[in-house]
């Protein structure tokens, strides 16, 4: 558990066996400090479901758009950083969907087509509203997590074959589109459309994001062991052409330079940590 301010608590909740293909983790935070606390969330290329209990937290995009979380909010895939604020007496539980899991459970909605989604968007058949209501009656965070896991169980076996194949090779040093297209005797164009449909972004976007994420990890690792960052080493290790390309990616994802990110790490929530 991390306690940065008196009355502010946040922690990551790992998953039991059997749910690794559906979620990466759950995240809990509460603010009992008496004052509003603002953080920045790094892009994760995941779809997230935010449940709110108590006062309403709100999000602010880089364009200045403000969204209040009234009971719950679906967001994603998270492709760029945004700020979120927890007023005093706020409590949130965040569900982080993995790969195509959001599409598997809420596929009729359409990945990234109608997000964000709040309670006012689901007047009829508001299953998320009903889920929030049940969670709101519980006081223990782990009890809430177990309830969400039980809710998701019927969807564990409902996975598209091609989406599963794409997910299995996305982290490997090969072209997932070309590889899976060959396995299924389909065109690469059709496979690109399948990737976008099930994950909410293209394979090319994901490759770029993984390179950025590798740079973030490398910077954090180097910063913990030395007082000076070897930026040329970061560029070489992470597959960038030059330092300007590294800076461009940081500006694109979090609107900060690598140096600025290094200076503001404490205010940034990293989805991989």
């Amino acid at each position: 558990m991390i306690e940065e301010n008196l009355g502010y608590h946040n922690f990551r909740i790992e998953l039991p066996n059997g749910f690794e293909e559906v979620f990466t983790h759950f995240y809990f935070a509460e603010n009992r400090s008496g004052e509003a606390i603002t953080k920045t969330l790094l892009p994760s290329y995941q779809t997230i479901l935010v449940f709110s209990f108590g006062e309403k937290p709100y999000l602010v995009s880089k364009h200045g758009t403000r969204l209040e979380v009234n009971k719950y909010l679906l967001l994603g895939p998270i492709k760029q950083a945004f700020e979120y604020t927890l007023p005093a007496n706020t409590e949130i539980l965040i569900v982080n969907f993995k790969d195509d899991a959001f599409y598997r459970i809420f596929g009729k909605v359409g990945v990234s087509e109608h997000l964000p989604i709040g309670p006012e968007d689901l007047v009829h058949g508001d299953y998320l509203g009903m889920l929030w209501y049940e969670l709101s009656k519980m006081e223990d965070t782990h009890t809430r997590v177990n309830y969400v896991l039980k809710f998701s169980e019927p969807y564990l076996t409902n996975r598209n074959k091609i989406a599963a194949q794409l997910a299995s090779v996305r982290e490997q040093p090969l072209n997932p589109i070309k590889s899976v297209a060959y396995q299924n005797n389909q065109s690469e164009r059709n496979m690109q459309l399948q990737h976008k449909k099930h994950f909410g972004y293209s394979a090319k976007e994901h490759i770029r994001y993984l390179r950025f994420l590798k740079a973030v990890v490398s910077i954090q690792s180097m910063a913990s062991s030395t007082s000076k960052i070897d930026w040329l080493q970061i560029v070489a290790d992470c597959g960038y052409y030059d330092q300007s390309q590294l800076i461009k990616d940081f500006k694109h994802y979090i609107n900060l330079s690598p140096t600025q990110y290094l200076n503001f790490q404490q205010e940034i929530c990293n989805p991989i940590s």
Side-chain angles (χ1 to χ4, degrees), residues 44-144:
S44 63
Y45 271 69
Q46 293 175 252
T47 297
I48 64 174
L49 172 57
V50 184
F51 288 109
S52 170
F53 309 99
E55 295 299 316
K56 297 178 184 178
Y58 58 89
L59 323 172
V60 179
S61 73
K62 74 172 189 176
H63 301 295
T65 303
R66 172 170 164 161
L67 280 174
E68 283 192 341
V69 183
N70 181 19
K71 297 182 180 178
Y72 67 83
L73 192 69
L74 274 169
L75 290 167
I78 309 298
K79 298 181 179 180
Q80 293 182 313
F82 63 81
E83 287 188 346
Y84 67 94
T85 298
L86 302 181
N89 300 315
T90 300
E91 184 178 327
I92 60 172
L93 177 66
I94 299 180
V95 184
N96 294 268
F97 294 94
K98 184 176 181 179
D99 295 332
D100 61 319
F102 173 80
Y103 186 85
R104 291 166 66 182
I105 300 175
F106 304 105
K108 298 300 181 182
V109 175
V111 179
S112 76
E113 292 180 4
H114 305 290
L115 300 184
I117 293 176
E120 66 281 357
D121 300 309
L122 291 173
V123 177
H124 302 291
D126 186 3
Y127 41 86
L128 289 179
M130 292 184 284
L131 180 57
W132 174 89
Y133 176 73
E134 294 300 325
L135 297 177
S136 70
K137 295 188 292 183
M138 305 171 189
E139 296 185 0
D140 179 70
T141 300
H142 292 278
T143 302
R144 287 173 173 168

